[in-house]
Amino acid sequence: MIYTETPNEWITLCAQSDLPPGEMRGFDIDGLPPVALFNVGGCIHATSNICTHNVAILTDGNFDGQIVECPLHGGSFDVTTGEAVSYPCERSIEKFQVQVIDKCISVARMAQARVAAFTETSVAKSAGSALLKRVETTVDVRIEGSVSRFTCGPGDTLLRAALRSDIGFPYECNSGGCSSCTYRLVSGEVRDAWPDAPGLSASARAAGNRLACQSIPLSNCVIQARERPEFIVPIKPSKRSVTLENVTRLTHDMAVFRMRGKSVAKFLPGQYAMLGAAGEPLERAYSMANTANDDGVWEFIVKEVPGGRFSSRIAALEHLADALTLDGPYGNAYLRSDSMRPVLCIAGGAGLSPMLSILRGAVPDERFANRPLSLFYGGRTPDDLCDALILEADEQLRDRVEWINAISDNTASSANWTGPRGFIHDVVKAHFGAVLREHEIYLSGPPLMTNAVQRMLVIDHRVPASQIHFDRFC
């Protein structure tokens, strides 16, 4: 569509007749973020078209005449004010001035002053190891306004108990960082495994919101929560003991942990598990690098993080070998075997782990026989890339997958590098361009990388949210 801009910075978007009452439309305008128009009872409202909780196009969601719901996690906004009206959304969306002249709808290039929004600074802190109140019996949990109810075993969280009971409870990280599992406690008592988890701001806590992934019920409870069928788990998660078999170094700060349990390792390519250790109050999410197997083998690529509860022990993990627990599988970024699109995997750092699982799942599957499989993997320097050892050991991947590495470092130490340079989202954008919309896309890596990739896909190329798969860890 061609937009016309008047000298006073008003931009004509469409005819008034193109936006009937109760309808919404999205527009792309140079110099502005994506814009959404909404007709609320004959009154036109213009807002940013990007959800403030996660990068998603709001007009891909639902609109009930005044409230627009994000397609990802069900957070919503009042389009007449821009205010966030349901969690996990907290920050308001920008509003734009709008006018109707000669039966055409125009918006001002300059957004209105931002509607008052929550602001906060979150600092992640480790939970203390002091003795905490604990219930040793199973409790019942009911979701208010729903027929859904479930039981929660001793020490289990609300989120995991709900997922084990086939409740479609929205979530991503399962570890307190993303706020996707926000709920409200109506009655009963819970304790927070991580009281200062960064997934909730101070204002959200003050409003009575909690994180289901950190809430351990101490009595029968009634909660307010959103249920979404797409979050019903494809494989019911369970908890087991595992032992460490070996650690294989890949780079100076990454290694493959190979663990084994007594039961089969059942999961979908791309999913993750929660690893814990005796004496540790919290668990850590790690994505599997292998595929499901009857031998009970679980493999994870782990990046060493100074001070990390698990990753900093790569050199001395044998001390944990007999005291590890694994709870899983979890995660929504698993391989979609029902899609006929080419598969594109984008990774950075230890985010390579679930991408390997996805590709290892796709390569032998006949349903993917005629579909291109690509992996774009980014690191700061050549020393941060670990594909050589993996490809040498996996002939199927080497022969079947288009594998492109890129580095972001431009210093003299990388002078001998002959491959692509730049951030991985820019390398992917330059390689595929407009055909990105034709792919089923999986991504994993550091938050800054995944956010940049997501914005490039959603904002620059309008890849539908249903074709982008990743679990957000913060």
Side-chain angles (χ1 to χ4, degrees):
M1 177 176 290
I2 298 175
Y3 306 104
T4 59
E5 185 171 349
T6 60
N8 60 357
E9 296 288 53
W10 287 91
I11 305 168
T12 300
L13 297 183
C14 67
Q16 188 176 10
S17 59
D18 292 336
L19 191 71
E23 297 293 321
M24 62 179 175
R25 286 188 62 183
F27 300 86
D28 296 323
I29 307 166
D30 289 341
L32 285 179
V35 173
L37 290 182
F38 304 89
N39 189 326
V40 181
C43 183
I44 308 300
H45 294 270
T47 74
S48 165
N49 202 13
I50 301 294
C51 177
T52 57
H53 169 247
N54 203 344
V55 183
I57 298 296
L58 291 175
T59 51
D60 287 344
N62 298 316
F63 180 50
D64 72 354
Q66 183 170 336
I67 305 299
V68 63
E69 182 183 80
C70 174
L72 285 183
H73 302 105
S76 56
F77 303 88
D78 184 331
V79 301
T80 66
T81 64
E83 292 178 346
V85 295
S86 70
Y87 287 90
C89 301
E90 290 189 65
R91 292 182 291 117
S92 302
I93 49 176
E94 284 186 323
K95 287 212 67 183
F96 294 85
Q97 290 180 308
V98 63
Q99 65 180 9
V100 178
I101 298 177
D102 296 331
K103 298 183 178 181
C104 289
I105 302 172
S106 301
V107 297
R109 177 172 289 280
M110 182 65 69
Q112 295 176 1
R114 291 178 182 268
V115 182
F118 295 114
T119 58
E120 71 282 339
T121 300
S122 297
V123 179
K125 299 178 181 178
S126 296
S129 57
L131 291 176
L132 297 170
K133 184 177 178 181
R134 177 183 172 93
V135 64
E136 298 297 340
T137 60
T138 297
V139 301
D140 294 319
V141 181
R142 179 171 63 84
I143 300 178
E144 187 177 63
S146 168
V147 298
S148 298
R149 60 176 64 233
F150 56 95
T151 58
C152 189
D156 214 358
T157 66
L158 276 174
L159 173 63
R160 297 192 207 178
L163 296 176
R164 296 188 218 279
S165 300
D166 295 323
I167 304 294
F169 207 120
Y171 79 106
E172 284 186 83
C173 73
N174 210 338
S175 51
C178 72
S179 76
S180 298
C181 64
T182 304
Y183 78 100
R184 289 192 177 188
L185 182 67
V186 177
S187 64
E189 184 181 4
V190 302
R191 75 168 172 86
D192 289 327
W194 187 4
D196 298 323
L200 278 188
S201 64
S203 55
R205 295 179 194 279
N209 295 284
R210 294 174 177 268
L211 296 176
C213 69
Q214 299 302 310
S215 295
I216 300 175
L218 303 177
S219 68
N220 294 339
C221 295
V222 178
I223 65 174
Q224 292 178 346
R226 310 175 311 281
E227 294 179 74
R228 295 172 69 94
E230 63 266 33
F231 289 96
I232 296 175
V233 293
I235 298 175
K236 192 170 295 187
S238 60
K239 199 164 189 174
R240 73 207 72 199
S241 297
V242 294
T243 56
L244 178 70
E245 288 195 335
N246 61 61
V247 177
T248 303
R249 281 279 183 176
L250 295 175
T251 69
H252 62 286
D253 62 356
M254 284 198 295
V256 178
F257 289 10
R258 181 184 174 93
M259 302 176 187
R260 188 183 295 270
K262 294 181 179 180
S263 57
V264 300
K266 189 176 182 181
F267 56 90
L268 296 179
Q271 289 192 294
Y272 66 85
M274 304 299 295
L275 286 178
E280 297 282 353
L282 293 178
E283 296 166 308
R284 177 74 165 84
Y286 289 104
S287 298
M288 282 72 81
N290 62 331
T291 55
N293 59 88
D294 294 336
D295 298 323
V297 173
W298 304 73
E299 293 182 349
F300 309 89
I301 294 179
V302 179
K303 184 178 177 67
E304 185 172 2
V305 178
R309 293 192 304 277
F310 291 92
S311 60
S312 62
R313 303 185 187 186
I314 287 179
L317 196 62
E318 62 271 13
H319 299 303
L320 296 178
D322 297 321
L324 289 168
T325 61
L326 184 152
D327 189 358
Y330 295 100
N332 306 299
Y334 51 82
L335 178 64
R336 265 52 176 189
S337 58
D338 56 346
S339 169
M340 298 305 295
R341 301 181 185 90
V343 172
L344 170 58
C345 295
I346 307 170
L352 178 63
S353 195
M355 300 300 100
L356 283 175
S357 181
I358 286 169
L359 293 169
R360 285 169 170 164
V363 165
D365 191 329
E366 292 184 356
R367 291 170 292 185
F368 293 88
N370 297 316
R371 277 182 271 173
L373 306 176
S374 303
L375 173 65
F376 281 67
Y377 182 51
R380 191 177 66 84
T381 72
D383 292 338
D384 298 310
L385 303 175
C386 59
D387 61 301
L389 288 174
I390 294 169
L391 288 177
E392 286 175 8
D394 199 320
E395 183 179 352
Q396 283 189 314
L397 286 183
R398 187 170 65 247
D399 294 341
R400 181 72 174 81
V401 177
E402 177 191 28
W403 194 299
I404 295 180
N405 289 334
I407 64 168
S408 58
D409 182 68
N410 286 315
T411 64
S413 61
S414 302
N416 294 327
W417 175 258
T418 59
R421 290 179 184 265
F423 293 114
I424 197 64
H425 66 282
D426 289 327
V427 174
V428 170
K429 182 177 180 178
H431 187 89
F432 288 101
V435 299
L436 281 166
R437 288 178 58 89
E438 301 172 8
H439 288 73
E440 204 73 26
I441 302 172
Y442 305 85
L443 56 137
S444 182
L448 287 176
M449 185 218 88
T450 56
N451 185 63
V453 172
Q454 194 182 12
R455 295 185 70 85
M456 179 271 291
L457 295 173
V458 173
I459 298 176
D460 295 348
H461 290 285
R462 284 296 190 272
V463 178
S466 60
Q467 293 172 219
I468 304 172
H469 311 286
F470 78 109
D471 291 306
R472 186 161 53 116
F473 300 97
C474 300

